[in-house]
Amino acid sequence: ELAEALEHLLSDRPLTGTKILITAGPTREAIDPVRYLSNHSSGKMGYALASAAKRLGAEVTIVSGPVALSTPAGCQCIAVQSALDMRKAVMSEVAKADIFIGCAAVADYRPAQQVEQKIKKSRDEMQLTLIKNPDILSEVAALPNRPFVVGFAAETQDLEHYARDKLSRKRLDMIAANDVSKQNIGFNSEQNALSVFWPSGETKLPECDKHSLALQLLDVIAEQYKEKQDAQDRRKDTGSTNR
Amino acid sequence: ELAEALEHLLSDRPLTGTKILITAGPTREAIDPVRYLSNHSSGKMGYALASAAKRLGAEVTIVSGPVALSTPAGCQCIAVQSALDMRKAVMSEVAKADIFIGCAAVADYRPAQQVEQKIKKSRDEMQLTLIKNPDILSEVAALPNRPFVVGFAAETQDLEHYARDKLSRKRLDMIAANDVSKQNIGFNSEQNALSVFWPSGETKLPECDKHSLALQLLDVIAEQYKEKQDAQDRRKDTGSTNR
């Protein structure tokens, strides 16, 4: 049944003519020339989304942190290291995008100071001051001509509560949430399951491999993106009739 | 000339019957279930040394931090994450080793506390308290029946001074030093050059690919290892004559 639905979707190519910008992977925040802060994101979900979006007809650009994955055929990839690099790349690309999917696990904090020379170890204890990184997803959602904005949430508890909170607080169009407390899914694994929320609805995509899941999620995105477009077109029409 | 020397070395297999334990790659120090501290070591030099040692006849075990490399054919690999994991693996393997090569870029510090749940970002600034990790190289060198101990030094300035200081302070048998301030060699590159120091001598291995360099370094190690063995045998002989 899933296989049939996916095949139908692929023959349909519902994203033809759509430009999608996807962030993927972790970011690395330099402490000095050799040391850094990072996280366990493998980039697999973001790359699976890019590959699926391409197969569904979209023009795809990935802004990717350091990962051990090759760029899916036909996609453009901009490789970055830090959250600040990622923001810069996203901001220079986002004007062209119809849909933005923030799938990267951007480091929340970076070292307040970056040292030019390798720090010599001497003291038994060391204090590292961290400052907050920019919230790229919120910044994209706050743009005057914003694309359709999809965020991700990785939670260890109260999935729906935190996901719906993030959806409204960051003014996203959609959020895909997964429970990273489950051992076999999520970060750095091949399988995943997602709960997807948008202001007026939700759907559950049950556990399967990341590539099938990516196709299903993009189908949901395409549907809600078109609905929003249609609603905007209706508003414009009404507007011109009234003038 | 280099090619000829390497060919001669390979036909000679001077490490036949020798057991070598090599640490390689970075370590990852967990902050919480998703975040960590690490460094830019690729593990390439350590893996090149393992591969070269195997080709020269040795029995090789690698204790490796997280890297994107496959274990060289015929070598045993124990995969670890943190410095504490690496110490544990090294200490359980080192009694069997004739030669220990500490090539891993072990994180000098780890977070003082490791949090079980993902930390929620809230404050604009955050203090991370780091404490010193064990010095695996010094601990191996301090063992009663220690193997021949080779360390590495990555320096950005005063190469010989810092390398010789580390050699004597940690009571190593040999140290291989490279200047990581040079753009094209060292960390995460294919090329490298080394200055090798031991208590009574030194040699320079000029820039070449890491595999040729590894063979040359193991040749120097094999020579000094045998010299030390012979000296110990002579002392034993003298000892028994005197009794």
Side-chain angles (χ1 to χ4, degrees):
Chain A
E1 196 184 356
L2 173 63
E4 234 172 77
L6 292 179
E7 206 168 294
H8 181 72
L9 186 60
L10 285 168
S11 66
D12 233 32
R13 296 170 62 89
L15 291 171
T16 304
T18 312
K19 288 188 174 118
I20 302 197
L21 181 62
I22 301 175
T23 64
T27 63
R28 281 186 187 169
E29 309 300 322
I31 299 171
D32 68 18
V34 294
R35 299 177 179 88
Y36 62 83
L37 277 169
S38 194
N39 64 64
H40 288 293
S41 166
S42 65
K44 282 175 192 162
M45 193 63 213
Y47 277 61
L49 285 169
S51 169
K54 177 74 197 163
R55 288 176 71 188
L56 296 182
E59 209 174 287
V60 182
T61 300
I62 312 171
V63 176
S64 175
V67 296
L69 300 170
S70 29
T71 305
C75 297
Q76 194 203 339
C77 183
I78 301 169
V80 298
Q81 291 273 325
S82 69
L84 294 180
D85 294 345
M86 186 171 274
R87 170 165 66 169
K88 204 172 152 193
V90 165
M91 289 307 160
S92 85
E93 292 294 319
V94 74
K96 294 177 249 165
D98 301 302
I99 299 174
F100 175 77
I101 307 178
C103 191
V106 180
D108 300 330
Y109 293 92
R110 67 176 182 276
Q113 290 174 324
Q114 191 184 329
V115 182
E116 291 298 314
Q117 293 277 318
K118 187 184 166 193
I119 301 165
K120 288 270 165 201
K121 66 171 163 182
S122 44
R123 283 161 300 158
D124 283 344
E125 218 179 270
M126 207 174 104
Q127 291 292 329
L128 195 61
T129 304
L130 305 175
I131 55 172
K132 226 174 192 173
N133 264 327
D135 183 340
I136 299 172
L137 202 54
S138 294
E139 289 185 9
V140 170
L143 289 172
N145 288 306
R146 61 178 261 176
F148 187 87
V149 181
V150 183
F152 271 77
E155 301 295 343
T156 47
Q157 50 191 335
D158 276 340
L159 194 72
E160 175 159 5
H161 170 75
Y162 282 116
R164 284 241 173 245
D165 175 62
K166 194 169 172 181
L167 180 73
S168 64
R169 192 166 31 85
K170 301 197 175 187
R171 302 183 51 240
L172 310 178
D173 294 300
M174 187 179 281
I175 193 158
N178 65 338
D179 184 348
V180 291
S181 72
K182 290 187 187 148
Q183 284 286 319
N184 55 327
I185 61 172
F187 266 4
N188 211 2
S189 83
E190 297 303 327
Q191 297 281 106
N192 206 350
L194 291 171
S195 299
V196 189
F197 305 95
W198 57 96
S200 62
E202 68 177 87
T203 188
K204 293 218 184 300
L205 305 177
E207 188 179 338
C208 63
D209 69 283
K210 285 185 176 174
H211 283 278
S212 309
L213 196 69
L215 280 169
Q216 291 178 77
L217 178 58
L218 278 161
D219 192 28
V220 179
I221 292 173
E223 217 175 86
Q224 293 305 315
Y225 167 63
K226 283 199 173 132
E227 207 147 286
K228 197 184 173 186
Q229 290 289 102
D230 291 348
Q232 279 172 343
D233 290 347
R234 278 196 301 275
R235 269 201 301 279
K236 273 184 208 152
D237 288 347
T238 318
S240 51
T241 319
N242 286 351
R243 233 176 268 138
Chain B
E1 196 185 355
L2 173 62
E4 235 172 77
L6 292 179
E7 207 169 293
H8 180 73
L9 186 59
L10 285 167
S11 66
D12 233 32
R13 295 171 62 88
L15 291 171
T16 304
T18 313
K19 288 185 173 120
I20 303 196
L21 182 63
I22 301 174
T23 64
T27 63
R28 280 186 187 170
E29 310 298 324
I31 299 172
D32 67 17
V34 294
R35 299 177 179 89
Y36 62 82
L37 278 170
S38 192
N39 64 63
H40 289 291
S41 168
S42 65
K44 283 174 192 164
M45 192 64 213
Y47 277 62
L49 285 168
S51 167
K54 176 76 196 161
R55 288 176 72 188
L56 297 182
E59 210 173 285
V60 182
T61 299
I62 312 172
V63 176
S64 176
V67 295
L69 300 170
S70 30
T71 305
C75 298
Q76 194 202 340
C77 184
I78 301 169
V80 298
Q81 290 274 327
S82 69
L84 294 179
D85 295 344
M86 187 170 273
R87 171 165 67 171
K88 204 172 152 193
V90 165
M91 288 309 161
S92 84
E93 291 294 320
V94 73
K96 293 177 250 166
D98 301 302
I99 298 172
F100 174 78
I101 307 178
C103 191
V106 180
D108 299 331
Y109 293 92
R110 68 175 181 278
Q113 290 174 325
Q114 192 184 329
V115 183
E116 292 299 315
Q117 293 276 319
K118 187 184 167 192
I119 303 166
K120 288 268 165 204
K121 64 172 165 181
S122 45
R123 283 162 300 159
D124 283 344
E125 217 180 272
M126 207 174 104
Q127 290 292 329
L128 194 62
T129 304
L130 305 175
I131 55 173
K132 225 172 189 172
N133 265 326
D135 183 340
I136 300 173
L137 202 56
S138 294
E139 289 185 9
V140 169
L143 290 171
N145 288 307
R146 61 178 261 175
F148 187 87
V149 181
V150 183
F152 271 76
E155 302 295 343
T156 47
Q157 51 192 333
D158 274 339
L159 195 71
E160 173 158 7
H161 170 74
Y162 282 116
R164 284 239 172 248
D165 174 62
K166 194 169 172 181
L167 180 74
S168 65
R169 192 166 30 84
K170 301 198 175 186
R171 300 182 53 239
L172 310 178
D173 294 300
M174 187 179 280
I175 193 159
N178 65 338
D179 183 348
V180 290
S181 72
K182 290 184 186 152
Q183 284 286 321
N184 55 329
I185 62 172
F187 268 1
N188 211 4
S189 83
E190 298 302 327
Q191 298 280 107
N192 206 350
L194 292 170
S195 299
V196 189
F197 305 95
W198 57 95
S200 63
E202 69 178 87
T203 189
K204 292 216 184 305
L205 305 177
E207 189 180 338
C208 63
D209 69 285
K210 285 186 176 174
H211 283 276
S212 309
L213 196 69
L215 280 169
Q216 290 178 78
L217 177 58
L218 279 161
D219 192 31
V220 179
I221 293 173
E223 215 175 87
Q224 294 304 315
Y225 167 64
K226 282 199 174 134
E227 208 147 285
K228 196 184 175 186
Q229 289 288 100
D230 292 348
Q232 279 172 344
D233 290 347
R234 278 196 301 275
R235 270 202 300 280
K236 273 183 209 152
D237 288 348
T238 319
S240 52
T241 319
N242 286 350
R243 233 176 266 137

